[in-house]
């Protein structure tokens, strides 16, 4: 048990053992372990199989960049997740994990036959293999590819966890809690600024948690971290967020942070969320994300037991785990030497440090020899041996001219490699910040910024501890000052901080001529150096094309350990500098993120939140049947005892036509358009003329898209010379506001106009029927309701039932009508008062179905039902709403296109069925001749169809080719069982003169 654990070393609590299982075997770790560190402590290196070749794979890294050690995680009670990185998964009592991508077992995988047949699976093999014969695609190729694709098994039951979300603001956000991040947070926090410090690891400290010998201000790295963390925790203006990954950096300093809350707990509190998504707006951002160590590319570099040197140092100093009893270090960078020193001092045998550079620091060589480590400078690695774990490494001397000498084999249990470090510039790149190529360091570094941000430490190319602390302090103080706070930079005294130099951005030369050699660049997708050079030979010269052809960098790790090596090999093959070959695009999220975290509370019944009006509770209490309309729940009809829907709607229609009905119209979209240029803005947006509309008057507004087709409509009232109250369709409210904002910000920024959504501000009660005026006259104050003072299409402000109101005299039924707008908080009270006062007139609440019938009788269209995105104003019979003298409006030019003027366009017409009792099916197709051969030519379809109680027969609206020219003619409507005939008529069926608008 824990044969590779060093007693008393590391930051895990060795007094608290934790049992967990991997592939059915129970192991013991300690509180503070990750799955990777606990497996390594138990001598387990083989953890999975690669995607394409099914090669044995072990743990490569110690962080979120891990490409190999992906496991299925079962937390019990249906909590299963595939592709969890063992390097960031904290162990807890009862954790159950399994390896992936193999059958029947991890050690004996049938899929490994792909490794023996690797010549068939070179780069782009799928583009070449599955092209012929074409008939095989659906029956053979696609099922095979679908079966082979993907890693891990998807969950089979719904996710029982809950996920939270939170919006937050701060003065300074610091991403990363290594030396630069802690120094930045400290300076910003001391200034009094509101600071948030986020780090993806469970413990703040970053690379300092793995530091073995350096001191800061006379304290060990560990003690300095503890002191700094304690000071930050004591600041009320500082929020610390461990286990929190900054997944995306968006415009105007908006960032997404995903916080893991309970994944590390064996028994999370009931109903506690698993993760929380922070949507954060910061005045200033300091990016201190550190850097990622690059693997070296050589034959057999993917064998279990071959890992990054920095990871081995982390497992030793942070977790107290040695990755083997003997380890050979292979490097082109100074940092790996310190890993060798720490391992040797902990009792691990280090036979040799193999450095491909011919010249290394004398101080490093001296220290190595003092620890009995052989130094092989100017040597390279040409291969490894071992089946499920590395057992030896083959090394060769390389002359300065590049000639490779005879091989030598060194036995070992681990090979620790380092090709230098790559600054983590992902978040900086999300903002489209410019990356500059540093020729000396052979890396991309943050350049010109686009947001209020700063980069510090290793993420900015400064890898030394003293440099990172200095730059972090400067960045934190400068960010606080730019946020409006007085701040200064502290200085730090660092001892034992050796400069880290050396870089290698190419594969080692030993694999080029060895026919069976496999030198891996992308470990998860099995992309080799040969694959990248093959892509170049086949004509792919841009790294973006090479990436897609080889799949390099397209795995779940997004190329964190492979992109730079792939770029270096490609540039070498092309014969150009890396910047000439290009750079792949970093996109959010930074690490794989659960769908649950993005959804947050929006799942189940909350996935699409049902919006309810202030009057909804009354409708429910009074027996309403509801229907969904856009995101709203609306009363469909109000049945009385024993009534069917047809009977209830007929009764509601009679009540409106004969006396008085009331309708909840609160869901109408409402937009306040205010400003000295409000009328000009309206003129440009809508088809009608608005400059001459007098305050206190309303007008029907028609909105088109650039294509000339109807997008929305509604009644618009002018309250004052610089203020309009715009109504939209229920489903179009957000779309119309977005469209207006788009034009205002991009096309007409010179207009002084402000747009405000007021949909939820106003409750709207529509009163329709001959007795509507009689009902509200005694209840209204400050408004003369006479026909002369307040004619149809008027608006005025006053009071109703003692409540402020915007009263519109408009009608969507053809009857005398008013729309009472009152503040939403008074909506229910006013509804009840009107209902009570209307009892003398037999007032009847009606729902959306009755509203549809009444408006159809009058030929009033509903956008989205009687239009389908291809209907112009002329098609809909409302060409009168176009301001003919207007020089321009949205969509005007499109209306003059030849296709828009064709006589055979589909036009909205009315239909009267030969059988007056027959109600046509909405959506039913229309033909000229039902006996024509199949397939029949369809000339249109039914858009609206209802039983009209007022007319004692059915009515329908339809879009028909050349419809108005067919007036008086018979068309045919095939429906299940038979075909029906109908006469084409005008769209107004009831009160064509409009007399009833004045009762």
């Amino acid at each position: 048990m824990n044969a590779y654990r060093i007693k008393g070393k590391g930051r895990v609590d060795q007094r608290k053992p934790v049992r967990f299982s991997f592939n059915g075997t129970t192991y013991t770790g300690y509180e503070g372990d990750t799955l990777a560190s606990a497996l390594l402590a138990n001598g387990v290196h083989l953890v999975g199989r690669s995607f394409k070749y099914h090669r044995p794979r072990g743990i490569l890294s110690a962080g979120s960049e891990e490409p190999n050690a992906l496991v299925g995680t079962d937390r019990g009670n249906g909590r299963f997740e595939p592709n969890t990185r063992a390097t960031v998964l904290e162990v807890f009592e009862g954790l159950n994990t399994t390896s992936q991508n193999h059958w029947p077992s991890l050690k004996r995988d049938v899929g490994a036959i792909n490794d023996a047949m690797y010549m068939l699976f070179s780069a782009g093999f799928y583009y070449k293999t599955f092209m012929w014969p074409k008939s095989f695609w659906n029956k053979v190729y696609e099922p095979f590819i679908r079966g082979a694709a993907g890693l891990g098994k998807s969950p089979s039951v719904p996710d029982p966890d809950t996920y939270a979300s939170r919006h937050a603001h701060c003065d300074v956000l610091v991403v990363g809690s290594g030396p630069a991040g802690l120094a930045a947070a400290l300076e910003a926090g001391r200034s009094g600024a509101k600071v948030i410090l986020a780090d993806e690891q469970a413990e703040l400290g970053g690379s300092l948690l793995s530091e073995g010998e350096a001191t800061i201000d006379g304290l060990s790295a560990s003690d300095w971290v503890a002191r700094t963390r304690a000071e930050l925790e004591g600041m009320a203006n500082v929020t610390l967020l461990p286990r929190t990954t900054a997944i995306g950096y968006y415009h105007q300093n908006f960032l997404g942070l995903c916080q893991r809350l309970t994944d590390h707990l064996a028994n999370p509190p009931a109903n506690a969320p698993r993760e929380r998504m922070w949507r954060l707006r910061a005045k200033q951002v300091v990016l201190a994300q550190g850097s990622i160590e690059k693997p070296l590319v050589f034959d057999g570099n993917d064998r279990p037991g071959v890992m990054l040197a920095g990871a081995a140092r982390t497992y030793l100093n942070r977790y107290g785990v040695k990755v083997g009893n003997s380890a050979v270090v292979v490097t082109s960078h100074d940092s790996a030497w310190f890993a060798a020193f720490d391992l040797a001092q902990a009792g691990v045998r280090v036979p040799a440090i193999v450095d491909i550079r011919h010249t290394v620091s004398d101080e490093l060589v001296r220290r190595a020899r003092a620890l009995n480590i052989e130094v092989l400078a100017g040597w390279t690695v040409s291969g490894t041996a071992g089946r499920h774990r590395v057992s030896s490494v083959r090394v060769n001397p390389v002359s300065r001219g590049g000639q490779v000498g005879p091989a030598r084999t060194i036995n070992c249990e681990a090979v620790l490699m380092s090709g230098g470090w790559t600054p983590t510039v992902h978040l900086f790149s999300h903002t489209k910040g410019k990356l500059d190529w540093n020729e000396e360091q052979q890396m991309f570094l943050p350049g010109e910024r686009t947001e209020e941000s700063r980069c510090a430490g290793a993420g900015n190319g400064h890898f030394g501890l003293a440099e990172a602390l200095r730059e972090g302090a400067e960045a934190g103080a400068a960010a606080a000052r730019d946020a409006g706070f007085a701040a200064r930079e502290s200085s730090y005294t660092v001892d034992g901080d050796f400069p880290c130099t050396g870089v290698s951005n190419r594969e080692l030369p030993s694999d080029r001529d060895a026919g069976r050699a496999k030198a891996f660049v992308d470990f998860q997708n099995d992309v080799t150096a040969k694959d990248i050079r093959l892509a170049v030979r086949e004509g792919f010269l841009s790294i973006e094309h090479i990436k897609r052809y080889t799949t390099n960098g397209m795995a779940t790790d997004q190329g964190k350990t492979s992109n730079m090596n792939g770029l270096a090999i490609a540039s070498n093959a092309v014969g150009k500098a890396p910047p000439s070959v290009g750079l792949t695009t970093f996109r959010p999220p930074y690490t794989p993120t659960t769908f649950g975290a993005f959804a947050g509370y929006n799942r189940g019944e909350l996935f699409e939140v049902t919006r309810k009006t202030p009057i909804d509770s009354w409708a429910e209490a009074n027996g309403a049947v509801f229907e969904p309309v856009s995101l709203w729940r609306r009363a469909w009809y109000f049945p009385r005892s024993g009534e069917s829907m047809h009977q209830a709607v007929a009764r509601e229609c009679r009540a409106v036509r004969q006396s008085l009905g009331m309708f909840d119209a609160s869901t109408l979209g409402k937009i306040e358009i205010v400003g000295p240029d409000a009328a000009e803005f309206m003129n440009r947006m809508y088809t009608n003329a608005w400059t001459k509309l007098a305050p206190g008057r309303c007008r029907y507004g028609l909105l088109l898209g650039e294509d000339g087709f109807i997008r929305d409509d509604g009644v618009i009232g002018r309250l004052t010379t610089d203020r309009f109250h715009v109504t939209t369709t229920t489903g179009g409210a957000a779309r119309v506001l977005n469209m207006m904002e788009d034009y205002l910000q991009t096309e007409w920024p010179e207009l002084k106009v402000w747009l405000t959504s007021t949909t939820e501000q106003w409750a709207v009660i529509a009163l329709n029927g001959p007795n509507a005026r009689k009902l509200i006259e005694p209840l209204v104050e400050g408004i003369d309701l006479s026909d002369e003072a307040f004619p149809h299409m008027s608006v005025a402000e006053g009071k109703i039932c003692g409540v402020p109101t915007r009263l519109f005299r408009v009608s969507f039924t053809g009857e005398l009508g008013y729309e009472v707008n009152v503040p939403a908080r008074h909506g229910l009270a006013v509804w009840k008062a009107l209902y009570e006062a209307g009892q003398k007139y037999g007032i009847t609440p009606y729902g959306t179905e009755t509203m549809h019938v009444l408006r159809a009788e009058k030929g009033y269209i509903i956008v989205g039902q009687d239009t389908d995105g291809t209907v112009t104003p002329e098609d809909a019979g409302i060409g009168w709403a176009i301001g003919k003298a207007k020089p321009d409006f949205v969509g005007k030019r499109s209306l003059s296109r030849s296709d828009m003027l064709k006589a055979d366009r589909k036009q909205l017409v009315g239909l009267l069925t030969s059988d007056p009792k027959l109600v046509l099916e909405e959506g039913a197709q229309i033909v000229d001749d039902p006996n024509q051969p199949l397939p029949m030519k369809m000339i249109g379809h039914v858009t609206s169809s209802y039983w009209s109680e007022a007319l004692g027969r059915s009515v329908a609206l339809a879009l028909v080719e050349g419809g108005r020219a067919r007036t008086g003619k018979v068309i045919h409507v095939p429906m299940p069982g038979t075909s029906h005939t109908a006469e084409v008529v005008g769209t107004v069926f009831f009160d064509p003169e409009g007399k009833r608008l004045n009762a």
Side-chain angles (χ1 to χ4, degrees), residues 34 54 67 141 160 234 250 252 257 291 337 371 377 455 466 528 652 768 794 821 895 904 910 928 934 960 970:
T34 64
H54 285 248
Y141 297 148
Y250 308 92
Q252 298 179 331
L257 313 179
S291 56
W337 289 67
L371 292 168
C455 297
T528 66
E652 292 171 9
N768 287 274
S794 295
N821 289 253
L895 293 179
D904 62 349
D928 270 327
L934 298 177
V960 179
V970 174

Side-chain angles (χ1 to χ4, degrees), residues 313-522:
R313 195 180 190 207
T314 295
Y315 288 120
L316 177 70
N317 293 328
R318 182 173 178 183
Y319 299 103
V321 173
K322 54 185 179 180
V323 296
N325 289 316
S326 60
V328 172
V329 175
V330 185
T331 185
S332 63
H333 197 271
D334 291 352
S335 62
W337 289 67
F338 298 113
F341 300 157
D342 286 356
L343 287 165
Q345 290 168 347
V348 176
R349 188 174 69 87
V350 183
I353 297 176
V354 181
D355 199 315
I356 69 174
R357 301 171 296 177
H358 287 83
T359 302
V360 294
S361 163
D362 291 339
E363 174 63 18
L364 294 178
V365 173
R366 183 193 63 76
R367 290 191 60 182
R369 288 174 178 167
L371 292 168
N372 294 318
I373 301 173
E374 183 180 7
V375 176
L376 299 176
W379 284 62
T380 187
V381 177
S382 55
T384 61
R387 179 170 173 78
H388 293 142
R389 180 175 176 180
V390 68
S391 60
S392 66
V393 60
R394 186 175 68 248
V395 299
N396 304 71
V398 181
S399 71
R400 292 186 182 273
Q403 290 79 25
V404 179
R408 170 183 166 190
T409 298
I410 304 175
N411 294 328
C412 59
E413 289 186 350
V415 175
L416 312 181
M417 57 181 171
S418 177
W421 298 79
T422 301
T424 305
V425 295
H426 297 67
L427 291 182
F428 181 82
S429 297
H430 291 176
T431 67
K432 295 187 178 181
K434 184 178 181 293
L435 295 178
D436 296 332
W437 175 252
N438 186 297
E439 182 65 27
E440 180 183 356
Q441 294 181 286
Q442 290 286 291
M443 61 181 61
F444 285 99
L445 296 175
E448 183 180 348
R449 59 181 181 171
T450 61
E451 298 287 337
E452 293 296 324
S453 65
R454 291 167 175 80
C455 297
N460 202 32
H462 297 132
F463 300 100
L465 178 55
E467 282 185 305
L469 288 166
R470 175 190 56 77
E471 192 171 36
E474 290 175 354
R481 284 194 292 268
D482 285 353
F485 297 84
R488 62 178 182 83
E489 302 91 27
S490 299
S491 60
Y492 299 92
T493 302
V494 176
D495 185 39
D497 179 26
F498 291 92
C500 291
T501 61
V503 63
S504 173
N505 266 332
R506 58 181 172 82
E507 84 274 24
L508 302 186
S510 54
D511 75 301
R512 289 176 180 259
D513 300 318
R516 302 180 64 85
K518 296 188 185 74
F520 287 90
V521 180
D522 188 312

Side-chain angles (χ1 to χ4, degrees), residues 517-534:
K518 296 188 185 74
F520 287 90
V521 180
D522 188 312
F523 293 90
Q524 192 174 124
N525 277 352
D526 283 329
V527 179
T528 66
K530 283 192 184 77
D531 291 327
I532 292 175
R533 291 197 297 273
L534 173 63

Side-chain angles (χ1 to χ4, degrees), residues 682-854:
M682 293 292 297
N683 241 16
R684 298 183 187 184
M685 288 300 305
Y686 283 86
T687 62
N688 336 48
W690 297 93
T691 52
K692 294 183 180 180
L693 181 69
R697 297 293 291 161
C698 303
R699 181 166 290 165
Y700 173 77
L702 188 61
L703 184 69
L704 309 183
E706 285 283 8
D707 51 14
F709 298 133
I710 295 173
R711 289 289 183 272
D712 203 83
D713 69 348
V715 173
I716 299 168
R718 191 170 191 176
L719 302 174
T720 62
T721 56
D722 63 350
R723 184 179 298 268
F724 289 84
H725 180 114
V726 176
T727 64
T728 73
T729 58
T730 294
R735 182 177 66 249
V736 171
L737 181 61
N738 288 340
M739 180 178 175
M740 289 180 172
E741 285 283 9
D742 185 35
Y743 275 93
L744 185 59
Q745 294 183 31
T746 63
E747 302 297 325
W748 313 313
E750 75 281 0
L751 294 184
K752 295 179 180 179
V753 177
W754 292 267
L755 310 177
T756 306
S757 172
T758 58
T759 299
E760 290 83 3
Q761 180 178 340
W762 298 101
V764 182
I765 304 167
L767 298 167
N768 287 274
N771 290 315
R773 184 189 288 113
K774 295 177 182 177
L775 169 64
I776 65 172
E777 260 184 330
L779 304 175
V780 170
E781 303 173 44
I783 304 174
D784 183 351
L785 296 181
S786 65
D787 281 335
E788 297 75 22
F790 200 61
H792 181 60
M793 298 300 277
S794 295
V795 60
E797 294 185 297
K799 287 187 176 182
I800 187 169
C801 303
V803 172
T805 182
R806 284 182 181 174
L807 185 64
F808 288 75
R809 182 176 171 185
V810 294
S811 174
F812 199 46
T813 63
E815 302 294 331
L816 172 64
Y818 298 90
E819 286 186 2
V820 179
N821 289 253
V822 295
R825 65 183 180 277
H826 299 300
L828 181 58
V830 173
W831 174 279
K832 289 180 177 179
L834 291 172
Y835 181 73
E836 184 65 28
Q839 293 303 309
K840 67 176 72 172
Y841 305 110
I843 192 169
T844 300
Y846 64 93
T848 55
E849 186 67 16
T850 296
M851 177 269 291
H852 278 276
V853 175
L854 298 173

Side-chain angles (χ1 to χ4, degrees), residues 543-765:
I543 195 63
E544 290 282 8
H545 298 155
I546 293 169
K547 169 184 176 179
R548 283 154 180 80
Y549 189 65
T550 64
T551 71
N552 185 65
M554 294 176 64
T556 58
D557 66 325
Q558 293 189 9
K560 289 182 175 63
T561 57
S562 63
N563 276 342
M564 289 308 299
N565 280 333
L567 175 60
I569 296 168
S571 66
N572 180 272
V574 173
K576 295 181 180 179
S580 301
V581 181
L583 181 66
T584 55
T585 303
F586 298 111
R587 296 183 177 90
Y590 173 68
T591 54
T593 306
T594 62
F595 287 118
F598 285 110
Y601 299 110
N602 301 318
R603 59 177 299 177
E605 293 183 352
L606 297 178
F607 178 72
E608 191 171 67
V609 179
T610 300
R611 301 168 75 180
K612 299 179 181 180
T613 73
I615 302 161
D616 180 271
S617 59
W618 186 94
E620 184 172 17
N622 283 269
V625 176
F626 293 93
E627 68 166 341
V629 180
S630 185
L631 298 179
W632 294 89
R633 181 173 92 150
R634 301 191 70 179
W636 193 8
Y637 59 97
F638 291 82
R640 292 179 179 172
S641 178
E643 278 187 334
S644 66
M645 176 180 175
H646 175 76
Q647 292 169 331
V649 171
R651 172 179 51 78
E652 292 171 9
C653 288
R654 284 195 301 271
V656 174
R657 295 291 184 210
Q658 296 173 6
S659 181
L660 182 59
M662 64 188 309
F663 174 68
D664 181 5
S666 303
T667 64
L668 285 174
K670 293 171 279 290
I671 303 170
E672 196 94 345
I673 298 182
V674 182
D677 295 324
E680 176 60 23
F681 178 75
M682 293 292 297
N683 241 16
R684 298 183 187 184
M685 288 300 305
Y686 283 86
T687 62
N688 336 48
W690 297 93
T691 52
K692 294 183 180 180
L693 181 69
R697 297 293 291 161
C698 303
R699 181 166 290 165
Y700 173 77
L702 188 61
L703 184 69
L704 309 183
E706 285 283 8
D707 51 14
F709 298 133
I710 295 173
R711 289 289 183 272
D712 203 83
D713 69 348
V715 173
I716 299 168
R718 191 170 191 176
L719 302 174
T720 62
T721 56
D722 63 350
R723 184 179 298 268
F724 289 84
H725 180 114
V726 176
T727 64
T728 73
T729 58
T730 294
R735 182 177 66 249
V736 171
L737 181 61
N738 288 340
M739 180 178 175
M740 289 180 172
E741 285 283 9
D742 185 35
Y743 275 93
L744 185 59
Q745 294 183 31
T746 63
E747 302 297 325
W748 313 313
E750 75 281 0
L751 294 184
K752 295 179 180 179
V753 177
W754 292 267
L755 310 177
T756 306
S757 172
T758 58
T759 299
E760 290 83 3
Q761 180 178 340
W762 298 101
V764 182
I765 304 167

